[in-house]
Amino acid sequence: MTTAIRHDWTIPEIETLLSAPLLDLVWQAQIVHRQHQDDSVQLASLLSIKTGGCPEDCAYCPQSAHYAKETGVVKENLMPVEDVLAKARMAREAGASRFCMGAAWREVKDGKEFDNVVEMVRGVRKLGMEACVTLGMLEKHQAEKLAEAGLTAYNHNLDTGPEFYNEIISTRDYDDRLKTLAHVREAGITVCCGGIIGMGENIHDRASMLQILASMNPHPESVPINALVAVKGTPLADRPKVDPLDLVRMVAVARILMPHARVRLSAGRAELSREAQTLCLLAGANSIFYGEKLLTTSNNDAAEDRAMIEALGLKIANREEKAAAA
């Protein structure tokens, strides 16, 4: 019997899953994964198209202008369209089928820079790749313009549960994030939305974030699961490293709650052994960020990633994701 798709998960139910014996949890997630997913892993390449100088005060982010003196991250201008498309071609040649572009903005502002991002989206789509952007908060007409350009997905993470959110960010409300996600969905763009663990949150906060994601109808097509990369100069610089098994738990529960989503093993993967990554893939992760850098932090070696996928007998996805597939 195929697992039913639910949108009514409760926080206590999710806390119970997060606290379950690990092998039982992974087994349950693997059953769901085999019912709803194939044996492919999508390679997604991520490029910072505009680095530094963000007015937000996200405690984990080295791109925040609030911490620039301590982190040393310098504010840069938006990259030229052709330079971005050259990076996209390189990513495609290396095997990536999804190209993600991130700009350190609090919100999208109409004008030349936004128009250039729209051109980047058009260019990536002409290369036969999925195009994803993360640009901060977005208005309805801007989402529609990105949709017209062919944008595949918009990334806008919840980061954490609403109860813990104000401990991490004070410059943007939780409802602001949900409003942007609503504009994305209304425009017909697929939703890429997940969060970060290891910021000092508790199991309730993790369950609360997952419950909000799992309550969306339809579920997000893409769910990035990030482990905090504690960057020197940020308020969370002294946070201890995330236990890899906690990341496995988050991946497994995300897979159980959202069977059709691409669960993306994202930031923090560079800290994981090959065996820990394998456990995450067994638990239901089926996408990794691929390439030398994740915005401003280092990432795993691309050749090692491909070798790991081959050793596990998995396939590299090369087909475009469709919203209708979910």
Side-chain angles (χ1 to χ4, degrees), residues 130-251:
E130 295 181 19
C132 177
V133 296
T134 178
L135 311 172
M137 292 184 290
L138 194 67
E139 294 297 332
K140 185 175 185 293
H141 72 279
Q142 295 163 334
E144 291 170 348
K145 191 168 184 178
L146 288 167
E148 290 170 2
L151 185 68
T152 309
Y154 195 89
N155 169 253
H156 200 62
N157 290 333
L158 295 180
D159 289 343
T160 188
E163 298 90 344
F164 188 66
Y165 184 80
N166 289 337
E167 298 294 320
I168 302 299
I169 304 162
S170 69
T171 51
R172 188 191 314 185
D173 292 335
Y174 212 78
D175 285 345
D176 290 333
R177 293 185 181 269
L178 297 176
K179 181 181 177 182
T180 289
L181 292 171
H183 292 326
V184 170
R185 183 62 78 192
E186 289 168 6
I189 301 168
T190 68
V191 170
C192 178
C193 186
I196 308 168
I197 65 171
M199 299 188 293
E201 77 286 345
N202 58 34
I203 191 170
H204 175 84
D205 298 317
R206 295 177 183 181
S208 180
M209 180 192 73
L210 288 170
Q211 192 271 337
I212 291 172
L213 293 173
S215 297
M216 295 178 182
N217 192 0
H219 292 149
E221 287 79 8
S222 173
V223 180
I225 302 296
N226 300 273
L228 174 70
V229 178
V231 178
K232 184 179 180 181
T234 64
L236 299 181
D238 296 327
R239 289 295 308 166
K241 289 183 179 180
V242 172
D243 184 336
L245 297 185
D246 283 348
L247 200 59
V248 174
R249 289 183 180 279
M250 285 294 289
V251 167

Side-chain angles (χ1 to χ4, degrees), residues 10-17 207:
T10 66
I11 292 175
E13 284 180 306
I14 299 172
E15 288 179 331
T16 297
L17 286 172

Side-chain angles (χ1 to χ4, degrees), residues 45-54 61-63 73-80 83-84 87-88 99-105 117 120 132-135 289 292-297:
S45 182
L46 177 60
L47 176 67
S48 178
I49 59 174
K50 189 275 174 190
T51 303
C54 181
C61 186
Q63 299 202 66
V73 175
V74 178
K75 180 180 179 180
E76 299 177 0
N77 294 325
L78 184 72
M79 290 178 62
D83 289 357
V84 171
K87 293 285 189 181
F99 193 71
C100 307
M101 297 164 277
W105 292 330
V117 172
M120 293 173 194
C132 177
V133 296
T134 178
L135 311 172
F289 280 104
E292 64 181 15
K293 185 178 283 191
L294 296 177
L295 296 180
T296 60
T297 57

Side-chain angles (χ1 to χ4, degrees), residues 276-291:
Q277 292 179 69
T278 297
L279 262 181
C280 288
L281 292 167
L282 183 66
N286 58 353
S287 178
I288 59 174
F289 280 104
Y290 179 73

Side-chain angles (χ1 to χ4, degrees), residues 296-318:
T296 60
T297 57
S298 61
N299 194 33
N300 302 54
D301 180 80
E304 291 179 0
D305 283 339
R306 294 180 71 91
M308 177 182 68
I309 291 169
E310 182 178 354
L312 295 176
L314 299 173
K315 300 173 183 176
I316 293 175
N318 57 15

Side-chain angles (χ1 to χ4, degrees), residues 31 114 127 299:
I31 290 174
F114 179 52
L127 293 172
N299 194 33

